Amino acid sequence: MSQLANQIAVVTGAGRGIGRAIALKFATEGADVVCISRTEENSEKVAAEIRGLGRNAWAVAVDIADSVAVASAAQKILSDVGRIDILVNNAGVTRDGLLMRMSDEDWDIVLNTNLRGAFAMTKAFSRFFLKQRSGRIINIASVIGLIGNAGQANYAASKAGLIGFTKSVAREFGSRGVTVNAIAPGFIETDMTASLKAELKVELLKQIPLNSFGQVDDIAHAALFLASSGARYITGQILTVDGGMVM
Ligand code: NAI
């Protein structure tokens, strides 16, 4: 039995990496998926893969840091698609650097995408979710939001903020049957982490009890669980998927 039969999901940053893996996993479990990316080209590629799996898919280009654009995209999605059951706030960016050299711009890009983007998306669909009296919101945070990281003050602040946001919205939406949870991935092999230096990767591996980096599918499985009926009594939680790095 498909775990998400007849569900409709919206996934941000679905063009590649973790977002793409989540979108495809949901589709293989019977969901139709709205794929959001900054460019239509990227979201359309994944949408086409999903259609190849026999599900419906829509490609939407929107910059989630632009709350006006997000609000109108959400309206259009609801009128084109009819309803949504699952929202995955996955899109995120890094602009690493030591604090003393971090520009306001690098701070703002990361906070506006990772934190304000999730706020804008959640707010844009909130009226619909509350009226529907059901829904799943899954935010992709990071272990860096739990433990911090030298050179990532902006990113850590955005992900720690996303964790506080998750818990607060879980408290607001719980009585309407809408759950809000976060996943905190550890080191997952994607474009975002491909540029890290080999020596740093060796150091990182020493901190991971399971002794390997994660794959995008590891996060997709966790997202599937949080979206599934089996997770109906779970809200406000942060599910760490990191090979045991943070305990
Ligand atoms: P990625 O860089 O491969 O993909 C990110 C996606 O988000 C891209 O498709 C990008 O176009 C999209 N995106 C970025 N800014 C956007 C905006 N303003 N509007 C719309 N879309 C936008 O990254 P990856 O590795 O797949 O990461 C996905 C999420 O997982 C991010 O939130 C990241 O912070 C988080 N994460 C990743 C980890 C890793 O090791 N790869 C570890 C912990 C968390």
Side-chain angles (χ1 to χ4, degrees), residues 112-192:
N112 287 346
T113 307
N114 300 4
L115 186 53
R116 216 182 66 176
F119 157 70
M121 287 293 300
T122 305
K123 188 176 173 193
F125 286 105
S126 59
R127 189 183 298 274
F128 176 80
F129 273 133
L130 295 178
K131 219 167 133 200
Q132 179 172 254
R133 291 187 162 267
S134 70
R136 298 291 168 89
I137 299 172
I138 301 165
N139 297 321
I140 307 301
S142 168
V143 288
I144 302 305
L146 297 169
I147 60 172
N149 194 20
Q152 289 198 305
N154 49 0
Y155 184 77
S158 73
K159 295 299 189 178
L162 189 57
I163 288 169
F165 175 78
T166 300
K167 294 181 180 184
S168 301
V169 183
R171 289 185 188 277
E172 286 189 29
F173 288 9
S175 65
R176 300 290 190 98
V178 179
T179 70
V180 190
N181 292 290
I183 296 171
F187 187 104
I188 309 298
E189 287 184 333
T190 67
D191 290 352
M192 188 179 264

Side-chain angles (χ1 to χ4, degrees), residues 7 17 32 45 86 90 98 102 109-110 119 126 131 169 243:
Q7 305 271 302
D32 295 335
K45 254 189 270 165
I86 306 158
N90 162 78
L98 293 172
M102 188 174 285
I109 287 173
V110 171
F119 157 70
S126 59
K131 219 167 133 200
V169 183

Side-chain angles (χ1 to χ4, degrees), residues 6 18 29 36 43 54 56 59 63 76 88-89 98 122 128 134 140 161 164 189 206 210 214 220 233 236 244:
N6 303 318
I18 292 170
E29 286 295 329
I36 294 186
S43 34
N56 288 321
D63 176 355
K76 187 163 181 338
V88 183
N89 288 312
L98 293 172
T122 305
F128 176 80
S134 70
I140 307 301
E189 287 184 333
K206 289 185 192 155
L210 289 182
Y233 199 55

